[in-house]
Amino acid sequence: MKDVHIIDDLDQMRALADPLRLRVLEAMSDEEATTKQVAGRIGEKPTKLYHHVEALRDAGLIELVRTKQNRGTLEKYYRPVARRFTVKRELLALANSSAGFSTDLADLITVGLEETAADIRASAEAGAFETAEAIDNITFSRFEITGTPDQIEAALKKLQAYVNETEQIQNKSGAQQYGVTVAFYPIVKKSRRKKTK
């Protein structure tokens, strides 16, 4: 398994824009699994997932690692092709020229944020936020910036360098796992003025 897989193909991008496929990919990330095992991990029926597993495989995002004969059935074990997926910046430039791509990209980012929210809620319910160490190691910021194209480009480069450096922290003997979600995107605010007749 590679450390990083760079998505530079619209088909791969579209394959990842489906919320259920992202859940399937995440369920395989810790350990290779069959479609049936993934279904058990995420609480879905296997019949609902076969098409999604095939789509991920056809897009080159997961790979078949082994097969096993079990009571007359051939079990297929899959795993992601990489530990981390990142979208090539040049691919994002196609957002305006490819039908539906902007929506696919928005779906992918939204699903990632929804998964982050679900992780945070589950961790809070399990008591992960109740220790002094946890409180000291939690940070949350949400803000907007406005700058020239050069300033925005410089900020993005710094952010990407930070992400690349932080992702290298992978100590299996570490006591606590932490989640990091980073989103950097243009915003267009809806007018808050009420329309007058």
Side-chain angles (χ1 to χ4, degrees):
M1 181 188 298
K2 299 184 294 187
D3 281 336
V4 180
H5 177 78
I6 298 173
I7 296 168
D8 58 3
D9 178 277
L10 282 174
D11 291 334
Q12 288 187 340
M13 180 75 215
R14 288 189 170 116
L16 276 181
D18 185 291
L20 188 53
R21 288 180 194 160
L22 278 179
R23 290 174 62 206
V24 167
L25 199 62
E26 187 175 301
M28 293 177 175
S29 63
D30 290 332
E31 184 181 4
E32 63 188 39
T34 65
T35 302
K36 185 176 180 180
Q37 289 170 334
V38 169
R41 290 175 189 173
I42 66 174
E44 296 285 354
K45 293 182 179 179
T47 52
K48 185 176 180 180
L49 298 187
Y50 285 112
H51 165 72
H52 295 288
V53 169
E54 285 179 19
L56 290 168
R57 186 199 62 217
D58 292 346
L61 298 169
I62 62 172
E63 60 190 354
L64 179 67
V65 290
R66 68 183 173 99
T67 58
K68 179 182 171 185
Q69 200 70 35
N70 185 12
R71 298 180 188 170
T73 304
L74 186 65
E75 295 179 334
K76 297 178 181 179
Y77 288 79
Y78 297 95
R79 72 174 181 198
V81 297
R83 290 179 182 83
R84 176 173 66 94
F85 294 86
T86 186
V87 179
K88 190 173 185 179
R89 289 187 65 195
E90 288 81 358
L91 186 63
L92 302 181
L94 296 174
N96 292 328
S97 62
S98 178
F101 182 75
S102 291
T103 302
D104 291 337
L105 181 58
D107 288 346
L108 179 62
I109 294 169
T110 301
V111 168
L113 294 174
E114 288 169 351
E115 289 294 318
T116 297
D119 283 349
I120 291 169
R121 285 189 198 98
S123 296
E125 288 171 6
F129 294 176
E130 295 174 7
T131 66
E133 179 187 11
I135 292 169
D136 288 344
N137 291 330
I138 294 173
T139 185
F140 174 78
S141 297
R142 187 178 189 286
F143 55 92
E144 299 167 12
I145 61 173
T146 305
T148 66
D150 287 344
Q151 289 174 316
I152 298 301
E153 182 71 19
L156 181 57
K157 283 184 179 176
K158 286 180 185 176
L159 189 58
Q160 287 174 327
Y162 163 76
V163 168
N164 291 337
E165 179 184 337
T166 304
E167 282 181 333
Q168 301 308 311
I169 304 170
Q170 296 295 338
N171 186 340
K172 297 290 184 185
S173 63
Q176 179 64 55
Q177 225 177 357
Y178 284 82
V180 179
T181 300
V182 178
F184 192 91
Y185 52 93
I187 57 174
V188 178
K189 294 199 170 186
K190 293 181 180 177
S191 174
R192 293 181 182 163
R193 294 179 190 163
K194 292 183 178 178
K195 291 183 180 178
T196 56
K197 292 183 180 180

